[in-house]
Amino acid sequence: MPFSPRKDRTMSTETCVTRDQTISSITALVAEEAPVESILDAIYEATHHQMSVDRLGWAEIEPETHYVVARWARSGDRTLLRRGFQAPIWGSSLYFVMKQRKPRVMDDLLKYLEHRPQSRSTRLITAEGVRSSLTCPLICGQSELGFLFFSSFKANTFSADDAPFAMAIANLLALAIRNASIENQAEEPVVLPNCAKRHRLPIHELEPGMILNESLKSNKDNLLLASGHELTAHSVERLREMHRDGEIEFAMVEVQ
């Protein structure tokens, strides 16, 4: 059962620009302290068109019970895994998603269910018609808040290009959830646009696995990499080459 994003699509410049605009619009909603449900609706609308998402779900981790509790879902069809559904995180595959702090792609949920027939959540979600999913952990600082589930009614929907984009969205949602929690406790809300620790590094210090906190463009104003992109060895080397050849003017890049 594949759990890693497939590397079988190359994003067009138009797709990169559109996704960058989506991140900007969601960032604006978070900065405006929009309700979490409104932000989730905006995420669904955007990813439905940009990632073929048919169902979006959000679940929280209850700190006292260590249960994962469904809080919100929106689908193009009926919803069987509804708000309030809960299951222990211990012993579940979600435990490893959280500890690894990386998105997980499941290409064929029916095959997964064959191997994990005891999974109530998988039985319900496949009964809704979901066939593949991309799950992102929701983390703000050291707080493990829950999960954001991008799901499709078709198998093999999500690729490697989708994972950093989805994770960038999840980081923003985590911030909104954290701010809403703090506001409910009558404390000062967090004002940083991203929960993860941010660095501004020279190009020669970039490493594979770092996440861009800004979009990068060439001297000709062509988009090179979108905000939220996870750097690979190839993209790091390419940036260094372009910098040496004078094809890009910037020397510092903001990453996390």
Side-chain angles (χ1 to χ4, degrees):
M1 183 69 210
F3 290 95
S4 299
R6 294 173 293 106
K7 299 182 179 180
D8 58 357
R9 288 208 304 255
T10 301
M11 286 197 301
S12 66
T13 300
E14 181 181 359
T15 298
C16 291
V17 171
T18 301
R19 291 188 172 189
D20 193 36
Q21 291 171 342
T22 296
I23 295 298
S24 296
S25 64
I26 295 172
T27 300
L29 289 173
V30 175
E32 294 166 4
E33 298 183 24
V36 171
E37 290 78 7
S38 297
I39 296 173
L40 285 162
D41 278 327
I43 293 171
Y44 176 86
E45 293 290 346
T47 57
H48 177 66
H49 297 289
Q50 297 172 35
M51 288 170 55
S52 300
V53 170
D54 296 306
R55 186 190 195 279
L56 185 72
W58 161 44
E60 279 189 311
I61 298 175
E62 289 286 354
E64 295 181 358
T65 64
H66 299 291
Y67 269 62
V68 180
V69 183
R71 295 301 187 198
W72 183 95
R74 180 172 170 182
S75 174
D77 203 339
R78 59 177 180 164
T79 300
L80 299 177
L81 199 161
R82 300 187 178 94
R83 180 173 183 168
F85 176 89
Q86 57 183 296
I89 192 169
W90 302 112
S92 74
S93 60
L94 290 177
Y95 174 82
F96 298 100
V97 174
M98 181 57 71
K99 293 311 173 186
Q100 292 172 357
R101 299 195 167 209
K102 293 182 179 180
R104 175 194 66 179
V105 168
M106 301 183 75
D107 288 326
D108 192 330
L109 284 170
L110 289 180
K111 286 186 178 179
Y112 177 77
L113 185 60
E114 290 178 5
H115 293 89
R116 296 287 296 271
Q118 74 279 13
S119 174
R120 293 171 54 216
S121 59
T122 306
R123 286 203 308 272
L124 288 171
I125 210 74
T126 53
E128 290 185 23
V130 171
R131 294 296 178 262
S132 59
S133 68
L134 194 169
T135 303
C136 293
L138 296 172
I139 302 167
C140 191
Q142 298 302 312
S143 299
E144 299 176 346
L145 304 177
F147 302 91
L148 184 61
F149 303 93
F150 301 88
S151 303
S152 172
F153 294 152
K154 296 181 180 179
N156 303 301
T157 294
F158 304 105
S159 75
D161 292 329
D162 298 316
F165 175 56
M167 198 63 212
I169 291 174
N171 287 338
L172 290 169
L173 179 64
L175 177 59
I177 294 169
R178 178 61 176 160
N179 276 347
S181 174
I182 290 175
E183 185 175 352
N184 290 338
Q185 297 171 16
E187 296 179 10
E188 187 68 23
V190 180
V191 295
L192 293 176
N194 198 302
C195 294
K197 190 174 182 180
R198 302 157 71 97
H199 307 273
R200 195 159 188 82
L201 299 177
I203 289 177
H204 70 271
E205 292 186 12
L206 297 178
E207 296 180 359
M210 292 180 173
I211 306 296
L212 291 177
N213 279 334
E214 59 182 334
S215 294
L216 305 181
K217 295 184 178 181
S218 69
N219 291 346
K220 297 181 179 180
D221 204 35
N222 294 324
L223 183 68
L224 301 175
L225 298 170
S227 175
H229 175 84
E230 181 176 351
L231 292 175
T232 63
H234 174 75
S235 58
V236 169
E237 182 58 31
R238 179 59 180 151
L239 286 173
R240 291 173 180 170
E241 289 177 358
M242 295 184 73
H243 185 252
R244 287 195 300 266
D245 296 341
E247 297 179 48
I248 51 179
E249 295 180 351
F250 57 86
M252 305 288 287
V253 178
E254 187 172 284
V255 295
Q256 63 186 41

